[in-house]
Amino acid sequence: MNKVQQLVIFLNYFSLGLLMPVLNLILLERGADVKTLPLLIGLYALSALIFELPSGICADLLGRKTAFLISGIAKLFSLTFLVAADGIGLLIPCVIFNGISRAFSSGSLDALIMEQAVNLKGEDCIPKVSSRLSMLEAGGFAIGSILGGFVSYAGGTEGVILIQGGFTVVAFLLCAAGIREMREKKEKDKKVPLLAHLNMGAQAVKSGGNLKYVLMGTFFTGFLLISIETYWQPIYLEVSTLKDATWALGIISFLGFFMSATGNAVSEKLLTKFNLGHWNVYGIGRLALSLFLVILSLQFHGRGFVLAYALLYLLSGIGNVAENTLINRYTPNHVRASILSLSSFLFQLGVLSASLVSSLLAANVSIRGIWALSGYFCVISFFVLIIVSFKRNKKIINTITS
């Protein structure tokens, strides 16, 4: 992974992080309310869902760089609508283009970087590269979010939106001018038909060991994390003595992403130095993450809330590297972007499902109740997935040794 690639990845997530701590508040300020907010988030997830698989196929067949550049254009359209919004009408295309941008950015440059690393150094480098990508993502989000919180507090929300647009343009230009995608000669000489590519992707999922179980797990991760992200800002302002300080939201977002990056580093050490096993680290990380959402729902004081929030994202980071390593180990290069997009598709399906459930429950169940129910649901779901995958591994080992 060269410096230009790392800078583009970092700047992309830095620009996204600028709006992270205040985005839901901006949507509420510009026409959304408590009931329509989860529906807007659900619409974002739906648009990302619709374009996830086409974007991955586009990245595999037309180029990972092309897909990333399309993402940047869609992001600029989204920000344009957000600047102009004064009601729900313009927020709808805003979140739709944001979802399209999310779809085309997932599985594009990550797939290119992972493919180049595997070709140069072999599969043993996957945990290290996965950790580096996750740390760039979390680091970009963390620094962007703390800056976004302070900018929104000092200069208003339009300033944050315009700054995000500026960094989106910078990342776009750096990618266009500074990243090369060397595609294999056989891919240039003979284009793979769409149906054949889809069949290869399906075969990779079927024959990829426990790949299908990891992919299913991304659904529950999406369900879990959006339950937190939709409502944590108003809950924090409710339990904190700092009622109107949006800069505090930036600091908490920074803390969450910093802890996620720390979890990425811890996970890499657990996988490479201590050799605990990918499934063991993945299972511990995801089960503990689910339980900590229940713990977060029980926090009624600012300090306890922030501590639980930070530990929750530490566990998220630990699970993420193990998850990404498993997916990339099971996935061949020629369908890597498509499988990563399938993973993101299932994640967004979880986001959409949680948004719909939250919207239906919001009239009768408190936010804390929604968090507790989501946490218990994901504990049971991850437990079942992990048990099934362990039984399958044991069956394969017994078959080989018999």
Side-chain angles (χ1 to χ4, degrees), residues 25-156:
L25 297 179
I26 292 175
L27 294 176
L28 290 169
E29 174 188 287
R30 298 190 174 222
D33 56 34
V34 174
K35 290 185 179 179
T36 58
L37 178 60
L39 294 179
L40 284 172
I41 294 172
L43 183 59
Y44 156 79
L46 180 61
S47 61
L49 197 72
I50 291 171
F51 285 91
E52 276 294 356
L53 293 181
S55 69
I57 295 168
C58 171
D60 277 329
L61 298 183
L62 302 180
R64 284 84 152 105
K65 179 177 174 179
T66 300
F68 185 81
L69 294 177
I70 292 172
S71 169
I73 294 170
K75 170 58 69 176
L76 292 176
F77 274 109
S78 174
L79 293 174
T80 301
F81 282 112
L82 186 58
V83 168
D86 58 358
I88 194 72
L90 289 180
L91 291 179
I92 290 173
C94 167
V95 298
I96 289 174
F97 275 104
N98 197 21
I100 294 172
S101 175
R102 170 68 172 80
F104 275 88
S105 66
S106 67
S108 51
L109 287 189
D110 286 10
L112 174 61
I113 291 168
M114 185 63 69
E115 179 178 325
Q116 291 176 347
V118 170
N119 287 338
L120 287 173
K121 299 181 179 180
E123 290 192 352
D124 289 342
C125 74
I126 290 178
K128 184 175 181 179
V129 176
S130 295
S131 176
R132 178 64 62 86
L133 288 170
S134 296
M135 291 176 72
L136 287 169
E137 175 183 343
F141 273 136
I143 297 173
S145 64
I146 194 169
L147 179 61
F150 279 106
V151 170
S152 65
Y153 180 73

Side-chain angles (χ1 to χ4, degrees), residues 213 216-221 223-224 279 282-283 286-287 290 373-389:
Y213 300 120
M216 289 170 64
T218 60
F219 171 88
F220 300 112
T221 303
F223 192 100
L224 188 77
W279 272 100
Y282 173 77
R286 290 301 187 235
L287 286 172
S290 304
L373 290 172
S374 299
Y376 287 128
F377 169 69
C378 290
V379 166
I380 295 170
S381 302
F382 278 119
F383 183 77
V384 171
L385 277 180
I386 292 163
I387 292 299
V388 171
S389 66

Side-chain angles (χ1 to χ4, degrees), residues 141-210:
F141 273 136
I143 297 173
S145 64
I146 194 169
L147 179 61
F150 279 106
V151 170
S152 65
Y153 180 73
T157 55
E158 284 195 4
V160 184
I161 298 170
L162 293 174
I163 291 173
Q164 186 186 59
F167 277 103
T168 300
V169 171
V170 171
F172 180 94
L173 295 175
L174 272 176
C175 177
I179 291 182
R180 290 187 176 184
E181 181 175 5
M182 302 299 294
R183 308 186 72 193
E184 294 180 10
K185 186 176 179 181
K186 63 180 180 181
E187 293 178 351
K188 294 180 181 179
D189 294 341
K190 182 179 179 181
K191 291 186 177 180
V192 178
L194 176 60
L195 184 58
H197 183 81
L198 292 175
N199 287 333
M200 287 189 290
Q203 186 61 34
V205 174
K206 290 178 183 178
S207 62
N210 284 326

